[in-house]
Amino acid sequence: MADDRFHVYDTTLRDGAQQEGLTLTVADKLAVARHLDGLGVGFIEGGWPGANPKDTEFFRRAQTELDLKHAQLAAFGATRRAGMKAADDPLVAALRESGAPVVTLVAKSHDRHVELALRTTLQENLAMIRDTVSHLRAEGQRVFLDAEHFFDGYKSNPAYALEVLRTAAEAGADVIALCDTNGGMLPDELAEIVQDAARAGARVGIHCHDDTGCAVANTLAAVRAGATHVQGCANGYGERSGNANLFTVVANLQLKRGYDLVPDESLADMTRIAHAITELTNVTPNSHAPYVGTSAFAHKAGLHASAIKVDPNLYQHIDPAQVGNDMRMLVSDMAGRASVELKGRELGYELTPEHTKSLVERVKELEAEGFTFEAADASFELLLRDTVQGERKRHFDVESWRVIVERTKGGELVSEATVKLYAKGERIVATGEGNGPVNALDKAVRQALEQLYPELAKLELIDYKVRILEGTHGTDAVTRVLITSSDDKSEWATVGVAENIIDASWQALEQAVTYGLLRAGRDLA
Ligand SMILES: [Zn+2]
């Protein structure tokens, strides 16, 4: 485990997932966790096991599927219910059984919330905290406490808010994270309260929301006032205006205040990681995001362009390479020789320098068209195979496809697709019906191939993501489709890009089937 003196605690998978329009499958959550671990955060809050079936499954699968190098998983949950023992509360049991080494308990620290929302007495709330913290500690888990509405609570009844903090610390909570749950604080006042809390005899952390646009500033002010544990979310995800952007917080603390939070080489990978996570969340990346945005170090040609050539440092606050960004260069996720070589090795291919060179060029071209390979591992592997084999080999050759959408008199929409292809020397024509055009195409292509490749019956499309990419320099917008497929053993993702959404979907679908056949042991050669 990393140095315990200062914690970088990520809550993307729990608090960040509250963002409107953001949904993550369990596989997405596992992939986000891997990226965060790659950045070197100390803790990853995975969700609320017991309260949410998806989160329960996340913790179950994490035990076998996540091999974390830096981070520890934290399970989030509430203190026991009023009037029962922590040991008897099924929700507390779910935290205990999550397999997570750390439990973060949320507790009320605002007297009005205790009485009005929790509908119990101030004394019982303290007993709930004491009992739950000491129970989980006795069962061998490390416990942090999120003191909900702490700042508003402190303003309403400071003695009680501090009593919550002391109670949790005395019961064995290692950190009390002070939460600006409504996000209404400003840095100066927040810092005074943090200072007072830090004097109360507990290790304090900070959890800020961005409703005043000050979440990052508040986090930094809290650190200066004595907090040694910072919480935040990747790309500032979160409900309303979002949570403190953990990437900005980490970069600020490490590059401006000299904290040693993550390895320098991981910090230099932060831009790639930030973008890779947007592919999983399907939230359009904010090009103006500090440090990692594509525009963060972009300069318009003009007055200072020539000075930039002489000395770029005159016009930038850090060397963008420190966070893996580049002055005016669009971020290319995969297109570095080193990362392509690394990925090739990871997939079991020894690439010659010529292979690497042509693969890098091809990836760059495709990324300029809107493709992304960061989240489409299977598409990347197919591209790599084509490069190594020197030709594009497939299990089947498509002659044509078409799809029609019909709205019946009763208002029902039916899609029908026809696919014509060659496989094993045969010409096959097949049709499929579905509730949408992509579903119909999927059925038609399986119909065509299942006779020859019965293993396709196991293949399933489990996720479909669409993003419209804005046109640049007078070109039209294009559509990018990411499809996640699975057999009974694993999952893989493929990507297609086209002006037409069905065309983009078809590309991703064709690769999904090809890759599925490879997984089933049907080699292309
Ligand atoms: Zn929150």
Side-chain angles (χ1 to χ4, degrees):
M1 197 181 67
D3 189 344
D4 199 51
R5 281 174 298 177
F6 196 98
H7 295 169
V8 176
Y9 183 106
D10 180 274
T11 178
T12 306
L13 301 179
R14 201 267 309 168
D15 224 7
Q18 303 297 316
Q19 175 160 315
E20 205 177 341
L22 191 159
T23 43
L24 293 169
T25 63
V26 174
D28 290 336
K29 293 184 80 166
L30 292 164
V32 169
R34 284 185 199 103
H35 285 304
L36 292 166
D37 186 51
L39 180 62
V41 308
F43 300 91
I44 297 170
E45 191 174 84
W48 191 332
N52 176 341
K54 210 199 262 180
D55 291 356
T56 308
E57 193 196 337
F58 170 82
F59 282 98
R60 187 181 58 72
R61 286 179 58 180
Q63 297 189 35
T64 52
E65 294 175 45
L66 271 189
D67 179 22
L68 300 176
K69 303 278 185 290
H70 292 274
Q72 292 199 313
L73 276 189
F76 178 89
T79 50
R80 68 151 167 84
R81 266 175 275 167
M84 75 189 303
K85 281 189 190 155
D88 299 335
D89 187 324
L91 279 174
V92 175
L95 297 172
R96 212 169 50 221
E97 287 150 19
S98 65
V102 177
V103 171
T104 298
L105 288 173
V106 60
K108 303 273 182 213
S109 54
H110 186 312
D111 55 355
R112 303 257 303 150
H113 278 272
V114 175
E115 287 162 354
L116 296 177
L118 209 55
R119 295 196 188 170
T120 188
T121 63
L122 298 182
Q123 281 314 312
E124 174 62 6
N125 182 48
L126 294 176
M128 286 154 62
I129 293 169
R130 197 180 299 118
D131 182 22
T132 317
V133 172
S134 52
H135 170 69
L136 291 170
R137 288 276 298 162
E139 295 290 324
Q141 279 167 304
R142 190 173 189 191
V143 179
F144 299 157
L145 190 101
D146 272 1
E148 200 185 43
H149 296 288
F150 182 83
F151 295 94
D152 300 323
Y154 182 95
K155 288 198 257 183
S156 159
N157 183 344
Y160 187 71
L162 294 174
E163 187 62 29
V164 163
L165 187 141
R166 268 191 297 268
T167 302
E170 280 164 18
D174 282 331
V175 176
I176 320 299
L178 311 177
C179 301
D180 183 16
T181 309
N182 291 346
M185 296 296 292
L186 296 176
D188 40 9
E189 190 186 16
L190 175 132
E192 284 172 23
I193 299 176
V194 171
Q195 222 161 30
D196 202 22
R199 278 196 292 259
R203 177 174 182 178
V204 299
I206 186 73
H207 174 110
C208 292
H209 285 256
D210 204 29
D211 300 72
T212 57
C214 292
V216 170
N218 283 342
T219 304
L220 298 179
V223 170
R224 184 138 278 184
T228 55
H229 165 118
V230 290
Q231 299 195 358
C233 294
N235 299 318
Y237 296 142
E239 62 182 335
R240 308 190 310 274
S241 307
N243 284 54
N245 185 331
L246 197 70
F247 299 148
T248 316
V249 168
V250 166
N252 280 334
L253 287 173
Q254 187 139 334
L255 298 175
K256 310 279 179 178
R257 293 238 179 118
Y259 281 78
D260 190 13
L261 302 181
V262 301
D264 287 339
E265 58 276 20
S266 305
L267 192 64
D269 206 15
M270 190 162 80
T271 299
R272 184 193 64 81
I273 289 170
H275 287 252
I277 292 176
T278 67
E279 295 305 334
L280 294 160
T281 57
N282 206 21
V283 173
T284 309
N286 172 10
S287 62
H288 303 290
Y291 293 103
V292 300
T294 49
S295 304
F297 299 94
H299 299 268
K300 267 198 175 172
L303 200 58
H304 58 243
S306 54
I308 288 175
K309 264 188 223 154
V310 181
D311 183 358
N313 291 321
L314 289 172
Y315 290 95
Q316 56 195 18
H317 69 112
I318 58 156
D319 175 359
Q322 288 181 290
V323 291
N325 210 336
D326 204 347
M327 184 181 258
R328 79 168 58 247
M329 190 197 87
L330 282 184
V331 177
S332 177
D333 291 326
M334 284 296 302
R337 293 183 65 90
S339 56
V340 163
E341 261 165 16
L342 206 70
K343 189 78 189 163
R345 209 168 303 145
E346 187 186 312
L347 294 171
Y349 298 85
E350 272 309 322
L351 298 173
T352 64
E354 292 73 43
H355 288 152
T356 307
K357 185 167 176 281
S358 76
L359 197 53
V360 167
E361 276 165 16
R362 188 76 189 114
V363 167
K364 276 192 177 153
E365 276 166 29
L366 289 167
E367 284 188 341
E369 288 170 29
F371 284 83
T372 175
F373 294 98
E374 196 55 61
D377 46 357
S379 292
F380 179 75
E381 189 170 343
L382 290 175
L383 197 64
L384 192 150
R385 279 174 169 267
D386 294 346
T387 308
V388 172
Q389 292 172 340
E391 60 179 316
R392 189 178 177 280
K393 288 186 184 168
R394 294 291 180 263
H395 305 93
F396 55 98
D397 266 321
V398 179
E399 180 187 306
S400 68
W401 56 263
R402 74 161 178 252
V403 61
I404 52 168
V405 182
E406 185 185 355
R407 190 175 192 277
T408 64
K409 211 174 169 192
E412 203 191 344
L413 280 174
V414 190
S415 298
E416 188 188 305
T418 304
V419 173
K420 298 176 188 172
L421 53 78
Y422 292 89
K424 293 189 177 174
E426 271 180 64
R427 181 172 184 270
I428 306 167
V429 178
T431 58
E433 269 189 345
N435 52 17
V438 180
N439 185 229
L441 280 166
D442 179 36
K443 292 220 171 119
V445 76
R446 286 153 183 275
Q447 178 71 28
L449 292 171
E450 259 177 29
Q451 287 276 334
L452 299 172
Y453 301 111
E455 58 270 36
L456 282 179
K458 281 186 195 157
L459 188 135
E460 209 184 334
L461 301 194
I462 55 172
D463 197 24
Y464 176 79
K465 284 180 178 143
V466 176
R467 188 181 293 177
I468 311 295
L469 305 171
E470 278 181 39
T472 48
H473 307 299
T475 59
D476 287 335
V478 294
T479 303
R480 175 161 78 209
V481 168
L482 279 167
I483 286 180
T484 307
S485 314
S486 81
D487 51 21
D488 46 3
K489 291 190 264 320
S490 61
E491 290 171 9
W492 60 93
T494 49
V495 59
V497 172
E499 281 177 23
N500 180 298
I501 184 172
I502 300 176
D503 190 13
S505 306
W506 169 261
Q507 292 171 19
L509 185 65
E510 190 185 345
Q511 293 171 63
V513 172
T514 300
Y515 194 79
L517 290 171
L518 281 169
R519 295 232 18 122
R522 300 274 188 177
D523 208 354
L524 292 169

